[in-house]
Structures are given as C-alpha cells and as structure tokens.
Amino acid sequence: MSTVQQFDRSRLEILGAADCLRLLGSVPLGRLIYTYAGLPAVRLVNFVLDDDTIVFSTGEGDKFRAAERGDVVAFEADDVDMERHLGWTVTAIGHLSVVTTEESAELRRRLPLHSWLPMDDPQLVRLGIESVQGRRLLPWAQRPSSHNR
C-alpha cells in the first residue's frame, strides 16, 4: 500500500504523525519552547522518545517549574544536511509533567536517559505529545514542480 505524498506551498513534504515520531526518535537533541517570566524561552535539551512522549532530565529550574505547573509547550527537533540541502523538522505540542519517583526509576532502567549536563538532583520531565507536525525538504528530483502545486 503506497501513500500519496503531500506538499505545502513551499514544496516541503508534509509528514504524517508516524513519520514525525520516527524522526523525533532518531535524534538526541531538541528544543523545548516554553514560557518563562511571561516571555518565550527556548532551551536545548537531550531527550529520549518513549512511545508518544518525550522524556528528559532537568534540574530544579524554570523547565522543572513549567512541568510542575503542567504548562503547554512546544518541542522542536530537526536534522539538516547542509551540503545536499536536505533535512526535516518536527514540532510536537503538549503538556509538560513531572515524572513520579517510582516511574523515574523504571524509566531510567528501560530508557537510555543520560543528561549531557552535570546536575546535582536530576528530575525527569515528560512531554505528552498531543499534536505533532513535520516537514521534510526532499532532493530536487523528488520535489514537485511549481506548476504542480
């Protein structure tokens, strides 16, 4: 069964949810976009995709407080080949939450969760993905021509 590729006005391939999740799981770094002091904030985090949730470690700072509040956030990850002008970007949106101590122990056993930063008391935070969208820049020969939009 083949699926029909869909493209946006910029001739980027529109990715389905399954492809978005597969691509999210293929990279170790992403950007958490949340609100801090009433303004947008972006932080680079290393993460693991666990089914349809994003899990990462954080200290007792602003990301942890956003999780305690259950804030709605965005999370973006991408991969770009600068030489061949190829790549993709995926954005997930959902609520942050703090992972319980009991579940943290289980997740740490099951998932390759390793913070890239030294932290005294790392806490696990989860982003439950409620919506996901992505775009991929294909090789020139696979892109639709401008009159096929």
Side-chain angles (χ1 to χ4, degrees):
M1 179 173 121
S2 67
T3 59
V4 177
Q5 287 178 300
Q6 293 185 325
F7 295 87
D8 66 11
R9 295 180 63 82
S10 299
R11 291 183 268 165
L12 296 172
E13 180 186 17
I14 299 170
L15 300 173
D19 282 335
C20 287
L21 292 175
R22 181 182 55 76
L23 290 168
L24 269 179
S26 73
V27 294
L29 288 174
R31 291 161 203 83
L32 180 69
I33 300 98
Y34 62 105
T35 302
Y36 177 68
L39 297 171
V42 180
R43 299 291 182 269
L44 192 64
V45 296
N46 62 296
F47 72 100
V48 174
L49 186 69
D50 182 30
D51 193 22
D52 61 352
T53 64
I54 293 166
V55 181
F56 61 92
S57 293
T58 190
E60 294 280 338
D62 49 331
K63 293 185 300 280
F64 183 74
R65 284 189 292 281
E68 286 182 312
R69 291 188 304 264
D71 287 1
V72 174
V73 300
F75 189 88
E76 189 274 339
D78 53 54
D79 190 28
V80 176
D81 182 330
M82 299 297 276
E83 288 183 17
R84 299 185 325 168
H85 298 184
L86 304 174
W88 57 265
T89 182
V90 170
T91 302
I93 296 174
H95 287 82
L96 282 183
S97 63
V98 177
V99 178
T100 65
T101 303
E102 300 78 30
E103 191 179 2
S104 287
E106 189 268 326
L107 288 175
R108 289 182 194 282
R109 278 192 302 274
R110 189 168 56 81
L111 299 175
L113 288 160
H114 306 289
S115 177
W116 292 11
L117 296 174
M119 287 185 248
D120 292 332
D121 186 23
Q123 304 290 319
L124 289 187
V125 169
R126 170 184 289 126
L127 169 58
I129 298 173
E130 296 168 29
S131 70
V132 64
Q133 60 179 311
R135 299 288 189 271
R136 179 171 26 214
L137 182 60
L138 295 173
W140 284 102
Q142 296 176 24
R143 298 178 198 170
S145 62
S146 60
H147 63 276
N148 287 344
R149 286 190 285 151

